[in-house]
Amino acid sequence: DVSFVDATELDAVLDWDDALRSLGIDGSSHDEISISLRATYANGDTATNTGTLSIINVSPTGALATDVPSSGIDEGIASGGLYQVSFESVVEPASGDTLSYSFDFGNDGNFDVVGSSNANAIIPATWTGGSMLADGLVTILGRVSDQDGGSSDYTTTFRINDVSPTVTLDGAGIATEGSSYELSIAFADPGSDGAISFLIDWGDGSAPEAVTPTTQSSPITVDHVFVDNQAGLTTISVIAEDDKGTYPAVNKQITVGNVAPDLQDLAAANASGASVVIEGDTVALTGVIDDPGVLDGFTLTVDWGDGSAPEAFNLDARSTDFKVVHPYTDDGTYTITATLTDDDGDSDVETVG
């Protein structure tokens, strides 16, 4: 029983905090409660009346927040488990009620944490219908519930930031013109940003080469033939692209070396086609050029061996053979020396006689 002093009012009011809780009513039960009220007047007379009291449930309230930085977190499985979502400032009018907490990561209607006694939950790397692999804004739905079925829902958001793929180039530091060069491209992306592709500028003036890994497995190798050596260093530049766009180029510098020309099948014969050469005849000197640097031009220098000054002949790039002539004004046995020099200064010397 509880006594109340009421000297002036005709209506007796029992409030929750000062009266009902003092009577042991904490809201944990919502059965009808019988209540009896006796009024005692100043002259000692009393009056008593009885009735029933029904306690209507009130849902708990609160606020939902995460400890994710305002700048967001980077995409990737590694970001899971680092932060949490929490209910704060929870208010439950009934001191006897037991509260539980549920969390729906992604707010897709599927609760990933159900009926937990903890007011917070770790934000995982993956959840139903989503994960840290996809950048963008993530909504979390939180529900605080009491034992009588009352509940309140709140949402909060955090941002997952896109992370550029990591691209690493590897390969020999020296290539030779005309030979196949192998470039290795290693790549990794912590997010699920779709297929990655590459645009390779080989730095030799050739058209950029687009490459998409067929299995999207790292690393890949790409072969290229440098048709001519370069002065100084050659910079290979690779630009990665996925469904988020293109990323800054990654570069590798190499040296493309020259290969000396190879003078083959050097022969001298009568320019007229006769089987012998006599004094006064003109001799035709022929030969074959083999050079993997198909853009190289050449200078053919011929010492005819007859005391005349050596002659120089300019041969165009991509030349594969030659024929030059020289008259011999006197009989004798002569050795012809031919020097083939490419435009990079490397040469080959052959003789015939």
Side-chain angles (χ1 to χ4, degrees), residues 1-2 4 14 23 33-39 47-53:
D1 292 344
V2 180
F4 302 93
L14 304 181
L23 292 170
I33 300 172
S34 295
I35 188 169
S36 176
L37 179 65
R38 183 179 67 239
T48 302
N49 200 358
T50 60
T52 56
L53 177 67

Side-chain angles (χ1 to χ4, degrees), residues 155-243:
T155 59
T156 187
T157 59
F158 69 93
R159 180 168 296 281
I160 300 176
N161 301 318
D162 182 47
V163 177
S164 302
T166 300
V167 178
T168 305
L169 307 182
D170 193 18
I174 298 176
T176 54
E177 62 179 8
S179 298
S180 181
Y181 176 81
E182 184 175 273
L183 178 69
S184 173
I185 305 177
F187 55 94
D189 191 335
S192 55
D193 294 330
I196 193 170
S197 60
F198 303 99
L199 188 65
I200 307 173
D201 183 345
W202 294 100
D204 60 356
S206 61
E209 182 178 1
V211 177
T212 300
T214 55
T215 63
Q216 292 293 300
S217 297
S218 174
I220 62 169
T221 56
V222 185
D223 294 331
H224 180 73
V225 175
F226 292 93
V227 296
D228 197 11
N229 66 299
Q230 306 284 318
L233 294 173
T234 297
T235 299
I236 303 172
S237 179
V238 177
I239 296 175
E241 181 177 6
D242 59 24
D243 59 10

Side-chain angles (χ1 to χ4, degrees), residues 29-85:
S29 172
H30 296 282
D31 295 335
E32 284 191 346
I33 300 172
S34 295
I35 188 169
S36 176
L37 179 65
R38 183 179 67 239
T40 302
Y41 298 95
N43 61 3
D45 294 337
T46 62
T48 302
N49 200 358
T50 60
T52 56
L53 177 67
S54 296
I55 306 298
I56 299 174
N57 187 54
V58 177
S59 298
T61 59
L64 189 68
T66 74
D67 60 356
V68 175
S70 59
S71 58
I73 54 179
D74 290 344
E75 65 182 357
I77 295 298
S79 292
L82 301 180
Y83 301 95
Q84 65 180 7
V85 58

Side-chain angles (χ1 to χ4, degrees), residues 284-317:
L285 180 69
T286 59
V288 173
I289 300 172
D290 182 22
D291 191 330
V294 296
L295 299 183
D296 282 352
F298 306 97
T299 299
L300 177 67
T301 303
V302 181
D303 182 347
W304 296 101
D306 61 355
S308 61
E311 284 188 89
F313 302 91
N314 292 323
L315 305 178
D316 294 335

